[in-house]
Amino acid sequence: MIKKQLPGWILMLAMTGIGCQNNQLTSASMEDELPAKSTTSKAAASEVSVNPYVDTSAYINSGFSFLNPSQVNKNRQAIGGNAYTEVYGFNIPEENRVRGIRWNTDDETTSIWRPQGIAGFTKDGVRYLLVSWYAKDDAEYKGSRITLIDISPSSSTYLTYRHILLVQPDIPASTTTYTQYSSFAPLKVHAGGIAYFNGKIYLSSTNLGVRIFDLNKIIEVSTGDTTDDKCGKDANGNLFAFNYRYVLPQTGYQKINNASPFSTIQVNDEGTQLWTGQYYAGSADASIVPKVFGFPINASGIIQNSGIVTVAPKNSLFADNHAHGIQGVFRKGNRTWLSCTGSPSNSYGSNARLARYTDGADDTVRYRWPYGAESLYYEAQYGYLWSLTEYEPNAGAQNGSQVNRCIFAVDFSKYE
């Protein structure tokens, strides 16, 4: 869930001209996004379009060795069983629950990282989940990360996971909180949503569009787990990534015009489109009509600038009858499932809902959904719809001192 932006940030946007609508973003790799999905300006009425793919991989073309997910040493243990139902605001009916995971104590209580996006894939017979996080407060300079989790019960590393730092090629001119070397730097984006398609990760980038990563190009950092205040490659060829053993470098991006803010992203059930959603808070941005967009993607993983679909879901929970607070999106056929927060009504301890919208309908069909719910991911082989919750204790939210974070899956057939 995202708090409304402050007027000072709005002023800064006006002064710096972030360039969502005028296509003047000068350095997409270094787009610095505050951890907020909302915006107070209406999306331009101009036609939505996708710019050509920009390859940013030159910085890793030499001097690096690459690993794939199966070669990553997973050093943390998640908790299975039914403990996930004990987190604050978890209200899924028992008959709809199928799986759940809790982080280890450090990760479910940390206040300097928050989980946002979720996706998954299978490699060599092992099922994985991917979760994206953004850094905040004292760790904001570290940018964003993903977590790789083994969720195959028969695997020898079942429910173990590893955090991997996301990096990009543009080196900041100066830093005050850490030492920055050459080659790569943190990626400071909100990481609000994540999708997996043919070995690549697609990260929703609030003001830009989509950032792309190759999961077969994970880099092991020689100083991993030992150094917290350095990043990049030094003059002796040593690699640093704060206290992370692995980094995943951005290999490219595609700027999308007139469809921001990009709060989430997911592949549709048919595997032919990437769907994004816009987060606008119902109270602060009631006059804005949030939309979801479907962008065709070809077999090579390139987003196409034709056949783009735009849907403006209805939701009668809000005074203007539009779907505010979109945190997650999944599309199947002519229906869209939305993970929405900020409802003016409470349902079994949560103001979130899972909303199912059929194109052209006058309203959504709504279901209970946990407090602090974020993105959506459909695991078709098992018929599981996955999501996650975001809040640490004492987050200034309704959960107070209670843990809110978990990962969970529901029986999708109960929501079709």
Side-chain angles (χ1 to χ4, degrees), residues 194-215:
I194 188 172
Y196 174 90
F197 183 79
N198 288 352
K200 295 179 181 178
I201 289 176
Y202 296 78
L203 191 73
S204 60
S205 189
T206 308
N207 301 307
L208 172 73
V210 180
R211 297 175 184 275
I212 302 168
F213 305 79
D214 187 338
L215 259 187

Side-chain angles (χ1 to χ4, degrees), residues 94-167:
E94 186 173 359
E95 62 271 20
N96 294 0
R97 307 169 189 169
V98 289
R99 287 285 303 271
I101 299 168
R102 282 182 72 163
W103 305 97
N104 72 13
T105 301
D106 287 345
D107 289 321
E108 71 176 7
T109 61
T110 181
S111 63
I112 59 174
W113 289 96
R114 277 195 184 160
Q116 299 289 298
I118 187 167
F121 64 97
T122 299
K123 181 176 178 59
D124 300 328
V126 177
R127 295 160 61 196
Y128 295 97
L129 288 180
L130 294 165
V131 172
S132 62
W133 307 62
Y134 72 90
K136 55 190 289 286
D137 300 335
D138 291 343
E140 187 176 336
Y141 65 91
K142 294 184 180 181
S144 50
R145 69 186 186 188
I146 62 164
T147 304
L148 179 72
I149 313 171
D150 179 343
I151 61 166
S152 290
S154 61
S155 172
S156 61
T157 56
Y158 177 52
L159 290 185
T160 59
Y161 63 95
R162 169 71 75 162
H163 300 311
I164 300 171
L165 192 73
L166 298 178
V167 298

Side-chain angles (χ1 to χ4, degrees), residues 236-247:
N236 296 319
N238 297 310
L239 304 182
F240 297 85
F242 308 122
N243 57 331
Y244 288 82
R245 180 172 173 177
Y246 302 95
V247 299

Side-chain angles (χ1 to χ4, degrees), residues 375-404:
S375 296
L376 300 173
Y377 156 60
Y378 179 54
E379 191 178 16
Q381 182 180 353
Y382 297 90
Y384 290 178
L385 184 67
W386 290 90
S387 189
L388 72 167
T389 51
E390 70 167 325
Y391 285 122
E392 72 275 13
N394 302 309
Q398 294 177 24
N399 62 308
S401 62
Q402 299 179 69
V403 170
N404 169 239

Side-chain angles (χ1 to χ4, degrees), residues 105-401:
T105 301
D106 287 345
D107 289 321
E108 71 176 7
T109 61
T110 181
S111 63
I112 59 174
W113 289 96
R114 277 195 184 160
Q116 299 289 298
I118 187 167
F121 64 97
T122 299
K123 181 176 178 59
D124 300 328
V126 177
R127 295 160 61 196
Y128 295 97
L129 288 180
L130 294 165
V131 172
S132 62
W133 307 62
Y134 72 90
K136 55 190 289 286
D137 300 335
D138 291 343
E140 187 176 336
Y141 65 91
K142 294 184 180 181
S144 50
R145 69 186 186 188
I146 62 164
T147 304
L148 179 72
I149 313 171
D150 179 343
I151 61 166
S152 290
S154 61
S155 172
S156 61
T157 56
Y158 177 52
L159 290 185
T160 59
Y161 63 95
R162 169 71 75 162
H163 300 311
I164 300 171
L165 192 73
L166 298 178
V167 298
Q168 48 79 36
D170 286 3
I171 308 300
S174 62
T175 59
T176 58
T177 49
Y178 71 99
T179 301
Q180 176 66 62
Y181 296 117
S182 67
S183 295
F184 59 84
L187 178 63
K188 293 180 65 178
V189 296
H190 184 68
I194 188 172
Y196 174 90
F197 183 79
N198 288 352
K200 295 179 181 178
I201 289 176
Y202 296 78
L203 191 73
S204 60
S205 189
T206 308
N207 301 307
L208 172 73
V210 180
R211 297 175 184 275
I212 302 168
F213 305 79
D214 187 338
L215 259 187
N216 292 310
K217 292 193 174 180
I218 299 170
I219 297 171
E220 185 169 8
V221 177
S222 54
T223 57
D225 299 334
T226 62
T227 305
D228 193 45
D229 60 354
K230 299 177 182 179
C231 189
K233 180 189 283 190
D234 71 10
N236 296 319
N238 297 310
L239 304 182
F240 297 85
F242 308 122
N243 57 331
Y244 288 82
R245 180 172 173 177
Y246 302 95
V247 299
L248 181 63
Q250 175 185 292
T251 52
Y253 67 86
Q254 285 191 260
K255 177 172 172 55
I256 300 175
N257 308 300
N258 303 316
S260 63
F262 302 96
S263 67
T264 188
I265 189 169
Q266 196 48 258
V267 181
N268 67 337
D269 181 57
E270 295 78 11
T272 57
Q273 298 166 323
L274 284 172
W275 278 80
T276 68
Q278 294 180 310
Y279 179 96
Y280 289 106
S283 57
D285 304 313
S287 63
I288 300 174
V289 179
K291 297 181 178 67
V292 294
F293 302 92
F295 299 96
I297 186 169
N298 67 18
S300 299
I302 303 299
I303 304 170
Q304 305 297 291
N305 187 34
S306 61
I308 300 169
V309 180
T310 302
V311 177
K314 303 287 188 179
N315 190 338
S316 61
L317 280 179
F318 296 96
D320 62 350
N321 199 31
H322 292 293
H324 292 283
I326 297 174
Q327 305 277 8
V329 60
F330 171 66
R331 178 81 170 181
K332 181 178 182 180
N334 68 340
R335 284 180 167 179
T336 309
W337 284 258
L338 306 165
S339 175
C340 295
T341 57
S343 165
S345 67
N346 190 283
S347 178
Y348 294 86
S350 173
N351 63 355
R353 302 288 192 280
L354 181 68
R356 187 190 75 214
Y357 181 73
T358 303
D359 290 355
D362 293 329
D363 200 359
T364 55
V365 177
R366 293 178 292 272
Y367 306 88
R368 297 186 209 169
W369 211 234
Y371 180 74
E374 288 286 322
S375 296
L376 300 173
Y377 156 60
Y378 179 54
E379 191 178 16
Q381 182 180 353
Y382 297 90
Y384 290 178
L385 184 67
W386 290 90
S387 189
L388 72 167
T389 51
E390 70 167 325
Y391 285 122
E392 72 275 13
N394 302 309
Q398 294 177 24
N399 62 308
S401 62

